[in-house]
């Protein structure tokens, strides 16, 4: 279709549809922020659907269409170098969004530090475990998709807190498994089988995102457990479902990454590049080595949401109380807040 | 007519191979399955616990139920790559009706199943009228349905089903006297069917050995059923999803073995031109097969949603059908259904799903590394089926 | 071959009645292959019509059109004087036309009983899923096979595992299982043993005497065609080139007409 | 012999339908493809730019090349679900050799291809000896290979290929006089083949119309080739990967249409018992088919790695084969290869891959929402093939 | 049927030489079906042996064992006095045994030339991928077909689109394309027109006169078997029940032996 010839095109390339936050939240936030910061730019959102080869085609097609900036949330950090090279060859600046992209040139990286997400998960888990009288505490680790950059960083962050406990004998990891494609159904089967394997003697399910923790919760329910019987921790993304579990006591926490903040910062960077001013120096607070260069990074803070600070989610405008409390109106926290 | 020796010897002098070929066609796959069980029992001492066997059964149901439906399509020499997408989109539709519109769970589930069947019959019409291979039609339709699924989902991308009533399906287990009553009802229905057939044969003056036709199969069913019920009761009872699976297997078996429609499926799959010349409405049979696959996929979607306590982008295996699609097809093929039509019986769905479920469950219990899990899964799948084939070969069976 | 004992139907009388089947000037092409270029045939009740011709003359094609397997490009096809409304083999069967195809058209994975009854099973009520009344089917099948002296044939083995002749016998048995008005045999005895062939020619005569119209495609001119049929239609290159009363013709004359001897005048283009 | 009119009319009086049926069997799919192009050209003004058409071609090559290999397997009525896994594991192997062991790229690529072929022939042996359906064997083997791929990868889960020489494959484009020389060489080879055939016919005293057998096809090839080269030169030249694709198409076409092995593939696919009775070594033919599919999958893996400048867990589509597997199979089927063996020609790989590539590229350019994209992709795939079938039907073609 | 003009080979003389093919006491079961229960047959050079029997007697099974399609359970199979090493049809072909199968065994998607040469194509050099010399094949095919008076048969249409007789003709042509030692015909004329059958019986005699050994399975006892063969082996229930010299027997006697008349003594269990 013939759009205004002079409108600069910004392509926001999402990694997949399975991590739903990208389509349902990041994209609208980014579009809205761009409308404000660079009203003349045209934002086109596309999705790699979990296929790195497909995302590379998207990058190439974006270049063909005369992209001014590409905002890339790589489908697979390890297979993004070809995309980065195509953009570099065509002199189209790339801003990395959230996901890493290894092996090529990028202008900036706007990211919730995956490592700090893992650290937040690990720290919370360690606190809870230390509070338990039992020793050793039996932990099942339901990890993310093997080989993904994020999975590696979350694990590293978690281990910073977990490893000492393991070494001291306070924690015994009884099951450990990657979850193909983060598929909650697989996480559920795995959690069920872990319970079986240990005769029900599992104290903690440590996930990596709300899909894997949700799978663990469903497993507990299917095995007839009650809220609070077992500790489910290590959520991430603060999905509404996970928050409901938190409210009900099935799950302890979920790391909130305020996507609006991330999208807004990304829009700032992009707008500045579009204006020909390059990456705004004041936003840069670190760097990420992607094996090609040190990419200037905009690291964003993360916050762990538990029952105690559930309202932070509402304050940040991520969800409203009615959204969270739908179907669980009779929980304490909802009775208190959802009027 | 020559070779009367052979012809009249049909009942009395059946070799082991012959027996295998007909009634007990399932035996080799069962041996493969038992081999897997022995392997995992040696590897993990919880494998044979009632709790685990109960889990294993439940974990195999969604794929098993999908496989029942797919069988109908494979029997007529077609394929349906959209079953996983149907599973996903109808479960989301069901959840939407329940959550957003407050429709009663019963009605919502019915709507989902009818929608699934309608989608299936739509693919069939395209296949039979336009002549596009079903592989292409259902591949395309599946993608379109994946898209539709995204449209149906709310901005939160998920409908939670806890407390909606749908969650009760996966939660409920029947135990104690009720569970035994269920078994008895099943056995009585089976016995009544078999006996009515035998009575008819007797009345018609045909041979009808009460032992081989009635006592043996009923006894086997009773013993097998009793074992399963005992094991399940030792955990928490018969999960409703397992009961549904069992009922579907029963109905499916009846349709395939006893009814005219079942016969037509085999006829069309073997030689659709011959079936057409004999007056079988081939297009209609295919349409029914696809509709059944679609409706059953929708039901499996409901059960899956109930188990996962919600629906989302992942329901139905995600874009392209993912593992769910592949496992459903694999289950039927492992169970002995031919991709080239006209061959396979209902136990394929059960056995195939159990083989897949066993390998996954067993490896989870062993707690092996991810790469080991992949390698072993692959090899065990092939080996389980190879045992089947090697036994068949040793028995010198001929297939048509 | 022993000539059928029964007297033949009166050919002339039959020809004056409305024919059961009447095909006029049928044309049919497969792509560039013009299989039929104006073929005609009439079949009256009580009459056995032989359809003969060289390989590829179009006999099977004509037969398949009669049976509703193929449509045709042009021409007229009427049944008992009415234009035939036959869009599928099922329609033909419903009108009482039964066919034994040259390629038999059996389902190899089904057994004899299932093949015999395919499309016309005896079944239970609809609410019970139309359960097949296997016992009744078996009894009935056994009757028909015994009538054809095939009492020993296994009813439970898949027909794919049977010999060529056994399979052909099953295809023939299928066509007479119900009481049709017209039976079309496309080379019914090709794979049959001598004695089985004699059974079949006796059968053909019996059927005709029962008032059925019979079409037989056969290459056995000297025995079967000349002796056991009433009328002979000779086809060449997709069209009729000659028509004989069987009683007034010798095998040689028929063969000459088939290969284009002198007495066959109206050769198709 | 009767029906001489029909028989001898074979050459002179061919109807349009007949022509379609043989030499120009590709025409309906091409019409479907052109319809897609017109649609997208109307939707996006960059669709027909040389840059985009060049992209489209490159984007279609990996799937297209995979499809060439798969065709061989589908022709003999088997299926290979492990091609994507072979693609992945061999590309990782290749990268490991280059990066970790400093092996020369040429050698590493050769090793990858040979390994791929070896894996393929291993599946074939299992299929033909044990009699396990290829669906199961290759499904299991594919999973095992996915596991192996994880083992081969370093802890970082990635091998970067920039600067290793492998990256040159995807980077290099030949333009100007060289590109035209390539076209001319191709045309000369084609002409030589056709002419030698015609000369033989003439010598044998057989009909051999120079116009319909030589002038027409060569002219068409020359015009088509010239257009493609012009377009590609208007961007940056002929990408080497496209050239490789073209060469493989040429070789594949030669094998399928001209050689004994090609003929055997069709014979085995249609009636393997008849082929066996005629003395064809069916097991060996199947083994060769699987080996070719495996080797070509490995080559496609190398090209994919070169394009992505690295390999990782997701090389080869990830666990289960993902999109890559499905698209490769879909391309062959869309191009007209039958899943039931014995039917299809080489252009299927090109056209099928182009249909899929076009739909994706076109929708990317339109920038539609994700769910719309899925729905439209699904529908366009089905429609493109439906056009094909409807034309076929209108022409009254018969297939065997 | 016109009796073949050529003189018959001397049966006695032939019987004393080493037989080309000798099968003794062959047994073969398919599951519970005992298709062969001790069947024997000898074939000498220059001799035409007829194999007759009721439908399902085991003729085709015996023929398929000869041709290497099936293995056998017990018994002896020797070729020119040596134990036959035949594990596949390819081995039989290599030893000069050609077979026309009852089910023809054609590939429907290939054309006549491709079917005729299947497994034995004329090809170019290996380094060039064994390109098929289509022109030579076509010329050669045309020759053979002309010899069988089938000059008009389309060489480029897939055989799946051909009539039953045309297909059978192609299967026969295939067996004589090369110069074999033994040709086995399993009901070669079943689908053939009268004149085409006569061609085939002439052909059979010509081949025998050229010194080949011929086995013919046929149900056409009265014409073909009695008149055009040298020796008749009668099978029943998977075993030999009688053996005749064709010149010393009438059709009735053969038929009686087939169905178990009095003169057939050694009935198989
Ligand atoms: N593949 C098979 N599996 C099982 N039984 C078979 C198979 N092939 C043949 N039979 C059985 O073996 C017996 C002999 O069959 P065969 O085909 O040899 O008979 P035939 O003498 O050639 O008969 P016809 O004259 O009808 O061709 C028959 O009872 C037949 O049903
Ligand atoms: N499906 C088809 N497609 C193309 N051509 C066909 C088809 N069926 C038959 N033909 C051709 O039509 C002509 C007539 O075939 P038909 O089968 O009617 O002959 P026929 O008289 O029955 O011969 P036969 O005695 O050999 O059985 C033949 O040339 C045949 O090759
Ligand atoms: Mg015919
Ligand atoms: Mg036979």
């Amino acid at each position: 279709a013939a759009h205004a010839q002079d409108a600069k095109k910004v392509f926001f390339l999402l990694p997949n549809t399975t991590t739903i936050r990208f389509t349902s939240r990041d994209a609208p936030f980014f579009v809205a922020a761009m409308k404000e910061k660079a009203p003349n730019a045209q934002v086109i959102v596309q999705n790699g659907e979990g296929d790195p080869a497909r995302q590379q085609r998207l990058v190439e097609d974006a270049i063909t269409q005369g992209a001014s900036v590409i905002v890339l949330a790589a489908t697979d950090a390890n297979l993004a170098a070809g995309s980065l090279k195509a953009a570099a060859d065509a002199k189209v600046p790339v801003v990395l969004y959230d996901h890493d992209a290894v092996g090529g040139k990028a202008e900036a990286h706007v990211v919730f530090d995956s490592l700090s997400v893992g650290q937040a998960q690990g720290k919370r888990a360690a606190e809870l475990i230390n509070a338990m009288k039992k020793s050793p505490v039996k932990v099942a680790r339901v990890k993310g998709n093997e080989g993904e950059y994020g999975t590696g960083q979350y694990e590293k962050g978690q281990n910073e807190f977990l490893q000492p406990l393991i070494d001291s004998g306070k924690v015994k990891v009884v099951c450990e498994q990657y979850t193909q494609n983060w598929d909650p159904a697989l996480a559920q089967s795995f959690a069920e089988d872990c319970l079986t394997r240990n005769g029900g003697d599992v104290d903690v399910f440590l996930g990596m995102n709300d899909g894997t923790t949700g799978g663990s919760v469903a497993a507990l329910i299917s095995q007839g457990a009650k809220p609070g019987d077992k500790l489910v921790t290590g959520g991430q993304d603060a999905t509404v479902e996970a928050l409901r579990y938190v409210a009900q006591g099935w799950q302890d926490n979920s790391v909130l990454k305020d996507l609006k903040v991330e999208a807004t910062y990304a829009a700032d960077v992009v707008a500045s590049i579009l204006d020909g001013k390059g990456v705004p120096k004041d936003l840069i607070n670190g760097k990420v080595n992607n094996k090609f260069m040190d990419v200037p990074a905009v690291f964003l803070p993360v916050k762990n949401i538990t029952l105690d600070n559930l309202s932070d989610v509402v304050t940040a405008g991520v969800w409203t109380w009615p959204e969270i409390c739908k179907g669980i109106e009779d929980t304490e926290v909802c009775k208190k807040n959802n009027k | 007519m020559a070779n009367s020796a052979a012809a009249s010897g049909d009942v009395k002098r059946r070799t082991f191979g012959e027996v295998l070929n007909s009634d007990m066609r399932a035996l080799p796959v069962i041996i493969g399955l038992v081999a897997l069980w022995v392997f995992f029992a040696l590897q993990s001492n919880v494998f044979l616990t009632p709790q685990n066997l109960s889990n294993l059964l439940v974990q195999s149901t969604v794929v098993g139920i999908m496989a029942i439906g797919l069988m109908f399509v494979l029997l007529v020499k077609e394929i349906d790559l959209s079953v996983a997408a149907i599973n996903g989109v109808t479960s989301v539709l069901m959840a939407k009706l329940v959550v957003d519109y407050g429709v009663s769970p019963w009605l919502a589930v019915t709507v989902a199943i009818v929608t699934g069947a309608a989608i299936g019959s739509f693919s069939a019409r395209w296949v039979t009228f336009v002549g596009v291979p079903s592989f292409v039609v259902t591949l395309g339709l599946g993608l379109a349905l994946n898209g539709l699924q995204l449209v149906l989902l709310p901005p939160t991308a998920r409908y939670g089903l806890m407390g909606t009533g749908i969650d009760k399906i996966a939660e409920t287990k029947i135990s104690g006297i009720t569970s035994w009553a269920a078994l008895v009802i099943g056995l009585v229905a089976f016995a009544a069917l078999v006996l009515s057939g035998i009575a008819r044969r007797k009345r018609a003056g045909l041979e009808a050995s009460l032992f081989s036709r009635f006592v043996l199969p009923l006894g086997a069913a009773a013993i097998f059923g009793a074992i399963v019920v005992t094991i399940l009761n030792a955990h928490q009872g018969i999960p409703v999803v397992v009961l549904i699976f069992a009922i579907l297997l029963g109905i499916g078996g009846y349709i395939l073995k006893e009814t005219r429609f079942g016969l037509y499926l085999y006829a069309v799959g073997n030689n659709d031109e011959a079936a057409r010349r004999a007056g079988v409405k081939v297009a209609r049979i295919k349409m029914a097969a696809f509709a059944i696959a679609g409706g059953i996929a929708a039901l499996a979607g409901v059960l899956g949603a109930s188990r996962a306590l919600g629906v989302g982008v992942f329901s139905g295996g995600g874009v392209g059908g993912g593992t769910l699609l592949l496992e459903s097809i694999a289950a039927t093929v492992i169970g002995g259904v031919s991709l080239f039509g006209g061959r396979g019986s209902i136990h394929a769905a059960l056995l195939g799903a159990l083989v897949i479920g066993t390998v996954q469950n067993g490896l989870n219990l062993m707690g092996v590394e991810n790469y080991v899990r992949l390698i072993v899964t692959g090899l065990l799948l092939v080996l389980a089926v190879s045992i089947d084939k090697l036994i068949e070969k040793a028995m010198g069976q001929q297939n048509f | 071959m022993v000539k059928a004992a029964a007297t033949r139907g009166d050919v002339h009388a039959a020809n004056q009645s409305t024919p059961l089947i009447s095909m006029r000037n049928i044309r049919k092409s497969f792509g560039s292959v013009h299989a039929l270029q104006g073929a005609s045939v009439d079949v009256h009740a009580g009459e056995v019509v032989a359809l003969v011709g060289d390989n590829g003359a179009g006999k099977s094609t004509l037969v398949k059109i009669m049976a509703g397997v193929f449509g045709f490009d042009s021409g007229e096809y009427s049944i008992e004087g009415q234009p035939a409304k036959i869009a599928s083999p099922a329609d033909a069967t419903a009108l009482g036309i039964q066919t034994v195809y040259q390629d038999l058209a059996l389902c190899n994975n089904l057994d004899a009983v299932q093949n015999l009854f395919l499309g016309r099973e005896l079944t239970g009520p609809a609410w019970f899923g139309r359960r097949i009344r296997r016992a009744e089917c078996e009894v009935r099948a056994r009757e028909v096979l015994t009538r054809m002296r095939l009492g020993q044939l296994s009813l439970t083995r898949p027909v794919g595992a049977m010999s060529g002749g056994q399979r052909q016998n099953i295809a023939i048995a299928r066509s007479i299982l119900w009481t049709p008005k017209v039976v079309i045999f496309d080379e019914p005895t090709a794979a049959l043993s001598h004695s089985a062939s004699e059974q079949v020619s006796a059968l053909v005569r019996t059927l005709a005497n029962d008032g059925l119209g019979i079409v037989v495609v056969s290459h056995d001119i000297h025995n079967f065609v000349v002796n056991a049929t009433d009328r002979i239609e000779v086809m060449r290159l997709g069209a009729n080139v000659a028509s004989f009363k069987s009683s007034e013709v010798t095998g040689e004359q028929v063969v000459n007409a088939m290969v284009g001897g002198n007495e066959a005048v109206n050769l198709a283009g």
Side-chain angles (χ1 to χ4, degrees), chain A, chain B, chain C:
Chain A
H3 291 284
Q5 243 12 55
D6 51 351
K8 293 195 169 164
K9 289 180 181 166
V10 175
F11 283 82
F12 189 22
L13 302 185
L14 308 178
N16 56 46
T17 44
T18 47
T19 314
I20 191 64
R21 55 164 271 209
F22 287 107
T23 357
S24 68
R25 303 192 73 81
D26 292 81
F29 286 146
F30 181 76
V31 171
M34 283 297 292
K35 205 157 264 157
E36 200 178 298
K37 320 228 161 191
N40 286 328
Q42 180 197 354
V43 180
I44 298 155
V45 182
Q46 298 194 312
N47 198 313
E49 258 157 27
D51 179 4
R54 176 173 152 64
Q55 194 175 48
Q56 185 165 359
R57 294 179 210 161
L58 284 171
V59 170
E60 289 163 352
D61 293 339
I63 295 166
T64 306
Q65 294 172 79
S68 301
V69 179
I70 292 174
V71 182
L72 179 71
T75 293
D76 178 17
N78 291 328
L79 296 182
S83 302
L84 295 178
K85 176 154 190 306
D89 287 350
K91 305 211 161 44
V92 179
V94 174
V95 174
L96 301 182
Y97 186 86
D98 206 76
H99 286 182
D100 248 42
V102 179
K105 179 169 182 289
E107 302 301 312
H109 192 169
V110 180
V111 62
F112 291 102
D113 191 1
S114 300
L115 188 63
S116 64
V117 171
Q119 286 164 338
Q121 292 169 335
K123 183 153 173 274
R124 175 72 183 176
E127 281 169 19
L128 294 167
I129 288 168
N130 276 322
M132 293 182 184
K133 286 191 203 67
K134 193 178 167 202
S135 185
V137 173
K138 297 195 174 169
V139 177
R141 299 187 71 173
V142 192
K143 300 189 284 189
N145 196 20
E146 177 166 25
E148 260 180 34
Y149 172 79
T151 305
Q153 294 295 300
Y154 305 144
E155 190 167 5
K156 203 166 147 204
Q158 290 184 355
N159 283 348
E160 282 179 25
F161 295 87
L162 227 52
Q163 198 57 46
L165 295 178
I166 296 172
D167 294 341
S168 72
K170 173 71 179 170
V171 162
K172 181 161 182 249
V173 177
V174 289
C175 313
E176 189 168 6
Q177 179 79 192
Y178 292 101
T179 310
Q180 194 179 314
N181 291 328
W182 300 91
D183 186 343
L186 290 177
Q188 180 174 357
S189 296
F190 169 67
E192 285 169 356
D193 292 338
C194 182
L195 281 169
T196 311
R197 189 172 156 202
N198 294 285
D201 186 14
V202 180
D203 305 303
V204 178
F205 286 88
L206 175 57
M208 277 191 181
N209 75 346
D210 287 342
T212 49
T213 51
S216 306
V217 170
L220 289 172
I221 293 171
S222 84
Q223 302 298 302
K226 295 273 163 302
D229 284 359
K230 310 276 178 194
L231 175 61
V232 178
T233 181
Q236 170 183 191
D237 294 338
T239 63
V240 69
E241 201 64 23
L243 297 177
R244 282 181 200 149
Y245 285 152
V246 170
Q248 289 170 294
W250 282 109
Q251 179 172 334
D252 176 71
N253 65 319
S254 178
V255 172
L256 167 67
K257 302 191 287 195
D258 192 337
L259 306 180
K260 201 177 212 165
V261 174
E262 188 173 26
T264 311
Y265 275 106
D268 281 333
V269 174
V270 171
S272 165
I273 293 175
L274 286 179
D275 289 346
K277 294 184 208 139
V279 179
K281 296 275 176 303
D282 51 327
L283 292 181
I284 303 299
N285 56 4
K287 57 187 195 238
V288 174
N289 185 311
N290 79 344
K291 297 197 177 135
F292 179 83
M293 60 183 286
D294 283 332
V295 183
V298 183
F299 283 128
L300 306 165
V302 298
K303 183 184 265 177
N304 212 344
I305 299 296
T306 62
L307 190 55
D308 302 329
N309 63 355
L310 204 51
S311 52
D312 288 6
V313 184
V314 180
T315 323
V318 180
W319 302 112
T320 61
W321 281 113
E323 279 173 328
I324 296 173
C325 289
K326 186 160 186 190
I328 55 163
E329 287 81 359
D330 50 354
T331 51
E332 293 291 322
V333 62
C334 281
K335 274 194 225 148
K336 201 156 71 202
N337 295 293
N338 183 25
K339 310 210 169 76
Chain B
M1 196 63 247
N3 224 329
S4 63
S8 66
D10 237 43
V11 180
K12 287 151 250 158
R13 294 195 271 141
R14 292 206 299 189
T15 65
F16 184 51
E18 271 262 317
V19 174
L20 269 186
N21 219 344
S22 48
D23 317 332
M24 300 178 68
R25 181 58 197 69
L27 207 59
V29 200
I30 293 180
I31 294 178
L33 191 57
V34 169
L36 282 179
W37 282 348
V38 170
F39 173 74
F40 284 120
L42 292 176
Q43 298 295 319
S44 159
N45 47 12
V46 287
F47 182 77
L48 288 182
T49 56
Q51 181 183 7
N52 188 55
L53 293 176
S54 168
N55 273 350
L56 198 168
L57 252 182
V58 174
Q59 289 167 0
S60 308
T61 43
V62 171
V63 166
I65 290 177
M66 296 282 284
I68 294 179
L70 257 177
M71 251 193 82
F72 283 82
V73 174
L74 293 185
L75 277 180
V76 296
K77 207 173 168 178
E78 300 287 349
I79 195 160
D80 191 342
L81 298 181
S82 67
V83 279
I86 293 178
N87 172 307
V89 78
T90 54
S91 67
V92 170
L93 175 69
M94 177 273 299
K96 192 181 191 74
L97 290 176
V98 171
V99 176
D100 281 359
Y101 300 100
V103 173
S104 97
W106 289 106
L107 182 59
V109 170
T110 311
V111 170
I113 294 176
V114 170
T115 309
I119 296 172
S121 58
F122 173 79
S123 323
R125 287 204 89 84
W126 203 289
V127 171
T128 50
F129 274 23
V130 185
V132 181
S134 51
F135 186 95
V136 177
V137 172
T138 56
L139 174 71
L141 189 70
L143 288 178
L145 293 175
N146 288 147
L148 209 59
Q149 181 168 347
L150 295 181
V151 178
L152 288 178
L153 283 168
T156 61
R158 189 157 197 272
Y159 283 113
L161 291 171
M162 206 187 271
T164 56
I166 296 289
D167 52 343
K168 290 279 171 296
I169 307 174
E171 229 168 67
T172 315
K173 296 177 180 173
I174 61 173
S175 54
I177 188 78
T178 336
S179 63
W180 290 103
L183 175 62
V184 170
I185 293 174
L187 289 176
V188 167
F190 182 48
L193 264 181
V194 175
L195 280 180
S196 74
I198 295 185
R200 243 200 205 116
R201 287 188 77 79
K202 293 244 148 141
R203 231 177 304 140
L206 293 172
E207 164 282 330
S209 141
L210 212 62
F211 179 75
S212 75
R213 284 180 183 265
F214 178 70
V215 181
L216 210 67
L218 195 77
I223 293 172
F224 177 75
I227 293 176
V228 172
V229 172
T230 311
I231 291 175
L232 290 176
N233 273 339
H235 186 48
Q236 293 170 333
I238 310 179
V240 167
V241 289
V242 172
L243 197 66
I244 293 178
F245 187 22
I247 293 173
L248 286 178
L249 282 173
I251 297 178
Y254 174 74
I255 292 179
L256 292 186
K257 273 198 80 157
E258 295 285 324
T259 70
R260 189 174 70 173
F261 171 60
L263 182 73
Y264 287 179
L265 292 171
Y266 287 93
V268 168
N270 181 268
N271 189 341
D272 61 349
E273 179 59 18
R276 189 176 82 92
R277 292 195 196 163
V280 176
K281 301 234 177 335
V282 173
R284 218 183 275 173
I285 299 296
K286 288 194 174 173
M287 193 156 99
F290 276 91
I292 289 175
I296 288 188
L299 175 60
V302 170
L303 301 186
S306 168
R307 226 172 99 66
L309 295 171
V311 297
V313 191
F314 267 113
S315 301
V319 172
T323 338
L324 180 64
L325 177 63
L326 207 61
E327 286 187 357
S328 309
I329 301 180
T332 57
V333 177
I334 288 172
V337 177
S338 166
L339 286 174
F340 302 112
R343 212 169 86 85
S345 9
I346 195 71
H347 58 71
L350 175 63
L351 295 177
L354 281 181
V355 166
I356 294 179
T358 300
V359 171
Q360 293 191 345
N361 171 279
L363 289 173
N364 279 348
L365 294 187
M366 286 171 65
V368 296
E369 293 260 8
N370 198 29
Y371 68 91
V372 180
R373 209 176 50 76
L374 285 170
I375 295 177
V376 177
T377 305
L379 297 183
L380 287 184
L381 284 186
V382 178
L383 285 181
V385 182
S386 300
I387 292 180
D388 173 18
K389 288 295 156 187
L390 289 173
I391 294 176
E392 252 186 30
K393 248 192 180 170
M395 296 292 121
Q397 280 171 276
Q398 297 268 329
N399 295 318
F400 295 90
Chain C
M1 174 161 302
V2 184
K3 199 163 162 185
T7 49
R8 300 198 192 161
D10 182 348
V11 177
H12 283 284
N15 278 347
Q16 273 139 26
S17 69
T18 320
L20 282 173
I21 284 185
S22 165
M23 304 186 87
R24 296 258 150 263
N25 241 315
I26 302 286
R27 291 174 169 272
K28 166 80 184 170
S29 300
F30 300 100
S32 70
V33 184
H34 305 294
L36 293 180
Q37 324 202 31
S40 306
V41 65
D42 281 357
V43 187
H44 293 82
E47 181 191 37
V48 182
V49 180
L51 212 54
V52 303
D54 208 342
N55 294 127
K59 305 179 294 296
S60 296
T61 306
L62 190 62
V63 157
K64 285 185 187 160
I65 291 174
M66 257 185 233
V69 172
F70 294 148
F72 48 98
D73 302 337
S74 69
E76 280 163 39
Y77 179 6
S78 46
I79 294 184
E80 303 187 77
Q82 305 294 319
K85 287 202 185 56
I86 295 186
S88 74
D91 296 341
T93 314
L95 290 168
I97 302 175
Q98 279 295 323
T99 313
V100 181
Y101 296 98
Q102 188 171 11
D103 60 5
L104 307 184
L106 299 173
C107 288
N108 283 339
N109 58 342
L110 304 185
D111 67 24
V113 178
Q114 289 167 330
N115 267 295
L116 282 175
F117 283 85
L118 191 60
R120 290 165 301 165
E121 291 76 9
L122 307 174
T123 60
W127 63 266
F128 206 50
R130 298 211 181 280
R131 187 180 188 193
I132 293 177
R133 296 176 181 270
R134 173 81 194 187
E136 275 96 323
C137 290
E138 249 178 59
V139 172
R140 183 80 178 273
R142 188 58 80 200
E143 268 170 34
V144 173
L145 291 176
T146 310
R147 182 169 157 204
M148 290 177 64
R149 310 239 177 123
L150 296 169
Q152 298 284 29
L153 201 68
S154 163
L155 295 183
T156 53
R157 244 190 313 148
V159 303
M162 293 193 172
S163 82
Q166 291 167 336
R167 291 161 49 79
Q168 189 153 41
N169 274 320
I170 291 170
I172 295 171
R174 172 156 81 179
S175 71
I176 57 162
L177 192 60
W178 307 87
T179 35
K181 286 188 193 161
V182 177
V183 186
I184 309 171
F185 295 96
D186 196 352
E187 310 200 12
T189 60
L192 294 190
S193 75
H194 182 76
S195 53
S197 308
E198 289 198 335
Q199 298 292 339
V200 171
S201 45
L203 177 74
V204 164
R205 180 49 58 195
T206 317
L207 294 176
N209 286 345
D210 290 352
L212 276 65
I214 310 283
V215 180
V216 189
V217 177
S218 177
H219 290 305
D220 188 359
I221 310 288
H222 288 277
N223 296 294
F224 183 81
V225 170
V226 176
N227 294 323
T229 68
D230 300 317
R231 201 150 48 77
I232 303 171
E233 291 289 343
V234 184
M235 291 183 69
R236 251 186 86 203
L237 301 176
N240 303 55
V241 289
S243 178
F244 301 106
K245 254 193 264 176
S246 309
S247 51
E248 298 169 1
V249 79
T250 67
E252 271 66 37
Q253 285 173 300
V254 176
V255 171
N256 276 337
M258 277 168 62
V259 297
N262 291 341
E263 66 271 52
V265 269
N266 57 340
L267 273 174

